[in-house]
Amino acid sequence: MLHRLFCAFFLLIILQGCEKKDDVKMMYLAHTLPQTHPVHKGILEFKKALKLKSGGKMDIKIFPDGQLGSEREVLELLQIGSVAVTKVSAATLSNFVPEYHVLGIPYLFRNKQHQFDVLEGEVGKSILEKGSKFWLRGLCYYDAGSRSFYTSKKAIRTPEDLKGLKIRVMNNQMAINMVNSLGGSATPMSFGELYTALQQGVVDGAENNPPSFVSSNHYEVSKYYTLDQHSSLPDVLLIGTKYWDTLSDEEKVWVQESADESSKSQKVFWNDSVNESMEIAKKAGVEIIIPEKALFQEKSKPVLEAFEKEHPEMSGIINKIKNQ
């Protein structure tokens, strides 16, 4: 709490002195990822496009590496207007905007193309707009790949192999329910603690996308990677409505078009990063397992059924996605 308040106070001082300098309107963007990450590279394209479209009238100052706090803390800074833009996982955002929960349903998307069609179509745009009532306006989605299981001592080839295994998950109810439905024991834990937990056997495995599996060095202590691809939660580029409402109509067009262009570039960066990460993992001796995904999909169906029962108001969104 004190950290968040300090960040807010610090940024308010900056914004008062530097929001517009030499006729350049500066947007402040904070995120938690390293500068080598494909999402950060996408954000650099956002900055480049905005500067070009505005003829140098607008620019972005980026605060990467969690300099201004966790994803949740930065979201709160957006809500009070201290930061203009951020990138967060749809999982984190679902704690603020309930509709984002839908995107975490296991095996909701048939394939990558179906996911992109949904996110860039009517349903995806509608969900982006839902955040406005919480002062968090979605600009576009970034590819965050598909999450799969990795383990340290036992390979997962079928859902039965998960039985009795402690699997680290995000502190997200959908992720917890998904692992438990497959027979594992979901164990919420900070990502920063996970390497040591895997190394010491506190947990038996975890689940994440290939770039995160490699950049975190978890491939050093987890020698089995099962590409079951159970969820495909995107990242979301957001702008706080308190800042958005200060922009002219022309400036809003520049920002939105720049975000859309950066989303296209980021997909390429992400795909390259996945290929590179898989090669690194293979060379390090990680066994890559391609399971029969239908087995995992069938076993995880109760997660969708329970979600629809608890949130009947979301059924319309789910049906639109299924039928697209």
Side-chain angles (χ1 to χ4, degrees):
M1 182 67 177
L2 287 174
H3 172 71
R4 181 177 66 80
L5 290 174
F6 172 78
C7 288
F9 177 71
F10 170 73
L11 274 167
L12 284 170
I13 292 174
I14 291 179
L15 287 169
Q16 288 173 1
C18 305
E19 187 175 23
K20 195 166 186 180
K21 183 178 180 181
D22 298 328
D23 293 325
V24 177
K25 183 174 284 190
M26 188 70 69
M27 292 170 51
Y28 290 83
L29 188 158
H31 67 80
T32 60
L33 298 170
Q35 296 178 58
T36 55
H37 198 281
V39 167
H40 180 78
K41 294 177 181 178
I43 287 170
L44 290 177
E45 291 297 310
F46 177 40
K47 172 185 170 72
K48 179 180 175 182
L50 181 61
K51 198 169 182 180
L52 184 63
K53 286 181 183 295
S54 68
K57 295 177 182 178
M58 296 186 74
D59 199 356
I60 301 172
K61 182 173 178 59
I62 304 170
F63 296 86
D65 299 305
Q67 291 178 33
L68 301 181
S70 66
E71 285 195 335
R72 186 181 183 91
E73 288 170 330
V74 175
L75 280 174
E76 291 171 349
L77 292 178
L78 254 72
Q79 288 179 314
I80 63 176
S82 296
V83 174
V85 183
T86 191
K87 184 292 309 173
V88 297
S89 167
T92 302
L93 194 52
S94 66
N95 295 316
F96 293 76
V97 187
E99 285 78 6
Y100 283 100
H101 279 297
V102 172
L103 302 181
I105 294 172
Y107 300 105
L108 176 67
F109 302 112
R110 294 187 293 274
N111 50 47
K112 182 65 74 175
Q113 189 57 53
H114 179 221
Q115 181 190 19
F116 289 156
D117 289 344
V118 168
L119 296 181
E120 294 167 5
E122 175 191 344
V123 172
K125 290 177 181 177
S126 173
I127 294 175
L128 289 177
E129 292 171 2
K130 295 288 185 184
S132 293
K133 60 185 175 183
F134 303 100
W135 306 288
L136 300 168
R137 185 183 192 279
L139 290 171
C140 68
Y141 297 96
Y142 281 162
D143 191 2
S146 297
R147 301 177 75 91
S148 295
F149 292 112
Y150 52 89
T151 47
S152 55
K153 296 178 181 177
K154 176 185 176 182
I156 297 172
R157 303 182 191 279
T158 68
E160 285 67 34
D161 293 325
L162 277 158
K163 188 175 181 180
L165 297 186
K166 291 182 180 179
I167 303 295
R168 180 269 175 185
V169 294
M170 298 179 288
N171 190 15
N172 172 273
Q173 195 58 49
M174 188 78 73
I176 293 170
N177 293 346
M178 183 270 301
V179 168
N180 291 340
S181 74
L182 293 173
S185 177
T187 307
M189 177 184 294
S190 165
F191 191 67
E193 299 172 5
L194 183 51
Y195 185 97
T196 302
L198 286 164
Q199 190 176 43
Q200 296 179 352
V202 176
V203 294
D204 301 298
E207 45 91 48
N208 218 320
N209 54 60
S212 295
F213 176 54
V214 170
S215 65
S216 62
N217 294 321
H218 292 171
Y219 70 97
E220 296 175 351
V221 289
S222 299
K223 292 303 181 180
Y224 303 99
Y225 194 20
T226 303
L227 300 181
D228 64 297
Q229 300 177 323
H230 47 259
S231 65
S232 300
L233 274 163
D235 282 334
V236 187
L237 191 67
L238 296 161
I239 188 167
T241 57
K242 286 187 179 296
Y243 186 85
W244 178 258
D245 291 341
T246 69
L247 302 178
S248 68
D249 290 343
E250 185 178 38
E251 289 170 339
K252 289 177 180 178
V253 170
W254 292 338
V255 170
Q256 185 61 63
E257 289 183 349
S258 299
D260 291 338
E261 289 182 13
S262 74
S263 178
K264 295 177 183 178
S265 299
Q266 190 271 338
K267 288 178 188 175
V268 177
F269 297 141
W270 182 267
N271 190 56
D272 291 343
S273 181
V274 168
N275 293 334
E276 181 182 345
S277 298
M278 292 300 289
E279 284 303 312
I280 291 173
K282 289 176 184 176
K283 288 179 181 178
V286 174
E287 181 181 353
I288 307 299
I289 300 159
I290 310 295
E292 189 176 341
K293 287 200 289 186
L295 298 176
F296 292 82
Q297 185 174 6
E298 183 65 29
K299 193 100 184 222
S300 64
K301 278 184 177 179
V303 178
L304 171 58
E305 294 167 359
F307 181 79
E308 288 188 299
K309 186 176 181 180
E310 186 177 353
H311 302 281
E313 73 281 3
M314 301 290 183
S315 294
I317 299 175
I318 294 169
N319 288 333
K320 283 183 179 179
I321 293 174
K322 286 181 176 179
N323 295 328
Q324 184 165 333

